[in-house]
Amino acid sequence: MSDSEDDGTTQLSPHTLAALQEFYAEQERHTAPGGAAMYTVGALDEDWQLSQFWYSPDTAQRLAEEAMAVAGEGGRIACVSAPTVYQKLRERRGQAVSVYIFEYDRRFAVYGEEFIFYDYNRPLELPARIAAHSFDIVVADPPYLSEECLRKTSETIQYLAQGKILLCTGAVMEEAAATLLGVKRCKFIPQHTRNLANEFCCYVNYDSGLDKGL
């Protein structure tokens, strides 16, 4: 009888131990870090099963700057299914704006009271503390390229927005977006950390800096 059997412990094979270490490493990669790093774009890995594709840091920065310019000091910004824009806004924590992240992925609950659980299939199931037409600008990126998803997300956008909308979605949704939200395509082309098969665009319903150059 071996020593390990004597003391009641089980010895893992090298293969099992390596698999276990890889599992814990993967869990760690899916957990947001603390401190300032938690607001870094990509602090949480994309979950492709939830159709998550993060913006590049430069795109997140440009969209955050646009949202802040529209909202102004003391303004309110809603990020609907656009977590990297939220992260970039919060990274610039010196700016006096109020920001909320509306997300289905509960990993983003790490952001505390600013996290609002959101399921686009239930577009108006929002907490009572989120008043209608209480945001200076809504930045939204519906998770799926379908008219149904855009239509339901549009209900949320119209409930939240005082008027100004910044929508990011596929070029194939341009006509539907114009019909549902009255938005027009901008010159600025959003980029993602991974190359996507579908062309993505930004759309707004106001005179935007995103339409004044690439």
Side-chain angles (χ1 to χ4, degrees):
M1 182 178 290
S2 70
D3 290 341
S4 63
E5 290 173 327
D6 283 338
D7 61 18
T9 60
T10 301
Q11 191 167 19
L12 298 177
S13 70
H15 176 77
T16 302
L17 183 60
L20 187 61
Q21 289 172 335
E22 175 60 26
F23 170 78
Y24 284 128
E26 182 67 16
Q27 292 297 105
E28 178 112 3
R29 286 194 292 270
H30 280 77
T31 303
M38 68 192 291
Y39 296 116
T40 303
V41 171
L44 287 166
D45 284 352
E46 299 162 325
D47 185 337
W48 294 350
Q49 291 183 333
L50 296 179
S51 191
Q52 291 177 341
F53 302 97
W54 298 159
Y55 297 134
S56 70
D58 287 346
T59 289
Q61 173 79 13
R62 183 76 185 273
L63 297 179
E65 289 174 350
E66 174 69 13
M68 287 188 296
V70 172
E73 188 170 349
R76 287 167 57 84
I77 302 170
C79 296
V80 178
S81 305
T84 50
V85 177
Y86 168 85
Q87 289 169 330
K88 187 58 70 172
L89 284 162
R90 272 293 162 245
E91 191 178 56
R92 298 167 60 96
R93 56 193 176 278
Q95 297 288 337
V97 292
S98 175
V99 190
Y100 286 85
I101 174 174
F102 295 75
E103 256 296 333
Y104 184 80
D105 187 346
R106 292 188 185 274
R107 291 181 300 161
F108 290 99
V110 69
Y111 296 129
E113 289 297 308
E114 293 180 343
F115 168 79
I116 308 294
F117 176 74
Y118 171 67
D119 181 351
Y120 80 87
N121 287 301
R122 298 174 175 84
L124 299 181
E125 283 192 13
L126 300 171
R129 63 191 175 95
I130 301 299
H133 313 306
S134 59
F135 290 91
D136 296 284
I137 184 170
V138 176
V139 182
D141 186 344
Y144 300 102
L145 294 181
S146 72
E147 188 163 349
E148 178 195 21
C149 180
L150 180 58
R151 175 171 47 79
K152 291 179 177 179
T153 303
S154 293
E155 290 184 50
T156 309
I157 294 170
Q158 290 168 329
Y159 176 83
L160 297 173
Q162 292 180 5
K164 293 181 179 176
I165 298 165
L166 198 175
L167 175 72
C168 295
T169 189
V172 296
M173 304 306 297
E174 182 171 2
E175 185 176 342
T179 300
L180 290 166
L181 294 169
V183 292
K184 61 181 179 62
R185 186 169 171 172
C186 296
K187 293 178 182 176
F188 177 73
I189 304 296
Q191 302 294 325
H192 294 78
T193 55
R194 303 174 189 273
N195 292 324
L196 304 185
N198 298 293
E199 180 186 0
F200 267 72
C201 303
C202 289
Y203 306 86
V204 295
N205 65 344
Y206 61 93
D207 185 20
S208 169
L210 297 175
D211 208 32
K212 293 179 169 58
L214 301 180

